[in-house]
Amino acid sequence: SSTAEIVVEADHMAPQLTKLELDAPTNTINFVLQDGNIFQGRVFDEAGQPIAGAAARTDSDNQGRRPFDWFSHTDTEGAFFWDAAPSDAVLVWFEADGYQPIRDMPVHADGTEYKITLKRSTR
């Protein structure tokens, strides 16, 4: 038999990734989604000024897998907010024009306000 990975996502709910053994002509799997977890914070420059319009998104792991798909831009105060994050650690990526991106940053969506500092590009 072979295996499939299935992800279910819904607004405001925590996504769920489940492995399913494909061992019958018809396979059934049930999902029970929990309330989403809050991943929030603000993006600043090195002087402590908020960066508006910075991209915040889920990132791929070292095998190129990105099971959860979230993308946002920071507001005028540099703030970002995701209310449908998984309960497990997830990799995120931040970038803005003129700054060095931060990739593969593991975070826990536990409601803590993350403070992200982007450094100016040297180019």
Side-chain angles (χ1 to χ4, degrees):
S1 73
S2 58
T3 303
E5 283 190 338
I6 299 172
V7 175
V8 174
E9 295 179 275
D11 289 346
H12 317 296
M13 306 299 285
Q16 192 176 352
L17 179 140
T18 301
K19 288 186 178 178
L20 174 63
E21 290 293 329
L22 302 174
D23 54 6
T26 302
N27 294 267
T28 302
I29 186 167
N30 295 316
F31 291 89
V32 178
L33 298 181
Q34 306 296 320
D35 287 342
N37 299 283
I38 305 293
F39 173 53
Q40 63 184 346
R42 294 178 65 196
V43 179
F44 299 96
D45 65 17
E46 292 170 286
Q49 296 301 307
I51 301 175
R57 68 183 74 171
T58 47
D59 204 356
S60 302
D61 65 17
N62 58 10
Q63 277 115 38
R65 294 173 65 250
R66 186 171 62 141
F68 308 117
D69 191 20
W70 169 71
F71 178 86
S72 184
H73 283 101
T74 57
D75 65 13
T76 56
E77 299 297 313
F80 60 86
F81 183 81
W82 182 22
D83 68 353
S87 55
D88 296 331
V90 64
L91 296 175
V92 293
W93 167 8
F94 296 93
E95 67 180 339
D97 287 344
Y99 295 89
Q100 298 174 35
I102 293 176
R103 299 278 318 254
D104 300 328
M105 179 181 169
V107 297
H108 284 276
D110 57 6
T112 303
E113 184 176 75
Y114 281 83
K115 291 180 173 40
I116 309 299
T117 301
L118 295 181
K119 296 179 180 178
R120 286 239 173 241
S121 291
T122 52
R123 288 187 262 163

